[in-house]
Amino acid sequence: MPSVSIIYFSAQGHTHQLAEAVAEGAKSVAGTTVEMHRIVGSEIIEGRWKNPAVLAKLSSADAIIFGTPTYMGGYSAQLKAFIDAASEVWMKLGWKDKLAAAFTHSQGLSGDKLNTLASLWVNAMQHGMVWVGLGELVEGTAPEKVNCIGSYGGAMAQTDWGQEKINDGDRKTGVILGKRVAETAARWVKGK
Ligand SMILES: Cc1cc2nc3c(=O)[nH]c(=O)nc-3n(C[C@H](O)[C@H](O)[C@H](O)COP(=O)(O)O)c2cc1C
């Protein structure tokens, strides 16, 4: 039975909505167990993220999906604190051969989100993980269309200033990413 873990940070809730869409997609694949963890500030003590129970759960997952808002063209400091803490796993290549994927949300249409996904890819490669991209074409550029931002390395979402709900196209894109990761994990587990 494949297991997918989603770890993410969200300050105002948009990345959280995207995370929920990714989880919905992963859960749609029969037999998949899905765990979600939203990083909160109180887990970061003197700059270091600490939550051994969550780290242990991640270590038993077949796939880890990373999510973050894009801040200053990269991932948020909160996700970075978690990523740095996970270097203790890297020392033993504890996540080697797990699947990895990522999603990000920003206010700008570009907002330099590609750099966020690329940085998360680099982190996954350092861990020896296997990257799963979106695998979906652009349905159109209107906000209700799938992959309207035109991202292939992972799911991207964008909302305007003051907009509470993420766009439907971005939500559907998140679902597609989660489903693809879970389907890939099912094949991955079967082939082990
Ligand atoms: C410190 C900071 C830096 C930001 N930098 C960017 C940026 O580089 N590009 C962009 O499009 N939006 C930027 N934003 C807007 C955020 O991407 C947006 O507030 C965030 O995605 C909202 O997600 P959340 O609701 O999950 O917190 C920034 C916001 C903050 C607070």
Side-chain angles (χ1 to χ4, degrees):
M1 222 166 63
S3 56
V4 174
S5 279
I6 301 166
I7 182 144
Y8 65 100
F9 172 71
S10 177
Q12 295 164 298
H14 300 88
T15 314
H16 171 69
Q17 291 172 51
L18 190 56
E20 286 191 323
V22 172
E24 182 189 322
K27 282 178 195 162
S28 74
V29 178
T32 307
T33 57
V34 180
E35 297 269 359
M36 286 177 84
H37 182 73
R38 181 175 178 169
I39 292 167
V40 291
S42 56
E43 292 171 330
I44 302 166
I45 301 149
E46 291 187 351
R48 186 85 171 179
W49 179 87
K50 210 173 168 162
N51 192 330
V54 169
L55 210 52
K57 268 194 183 157
L58 290 172
S59 291
S60 65
D62 299 303
I64 303 175
I65 309 179
F66 305 89
T68 177
T70 288
Y71 283 175
M72 303 311 289
Y75 46 67
S76 60
Q78 291 84 351
L79 190 78
K80 175 67 170 155
F82 154 73
I83 280 174
D84 287 356
S87 64
E88 70 183 55
V89 179
W90 167 82
M91 282 178 197
K92 292 181 181 163
L93 281 188
W95 289 350
K96 188 176 174 186
D97 293 338
K98 285 188 194 302
L99 303 179
F103 58 91
T104 186
H105 171 276
S106 84
Q107 195 185 321
L109 197 51
S110 158
D112 292 322
K113 286 190 283 294
L114 178 59
N115 189 54
T116 303
L117 293 186
S119 303
L120 290 169
W121 171 80
V122 169
N123 174 61
M125 292 304 100
Q126 290 209 350
H127 280 280
M129 300 173 88
V130 178
W131 193 257
V132 181
L134 187 66
E136 192 74 26
L137 294 174
V138 172
E139 190 192 0
T141 52
E144 69 276 12
K145 299 290 184 187
V146 167
N147 196 14
C148 59
I149 297 175
S151 169
Y152 296 95
M156 289 183 183
Q158 180 269 338
T159 54
D160 290 331
W161 180 249
Q163 185 185 332
E164 271 182 29
K165 266 188 81 181
I166 62 168
N167 292 320
D168 204 39
D170 294 342
R171 196 194 57 76
K172 288 187 269 187
T173 306
V175 171
I176 286 168
L177 180 72
K179 183 167 183 277
R180 179 167 159 84
V181 171
E183 285 169 346
T184 309
R187 286 200 298 275
W188 198 239
V189 169
K190 210 168 157 189
K192 264 187 187 170

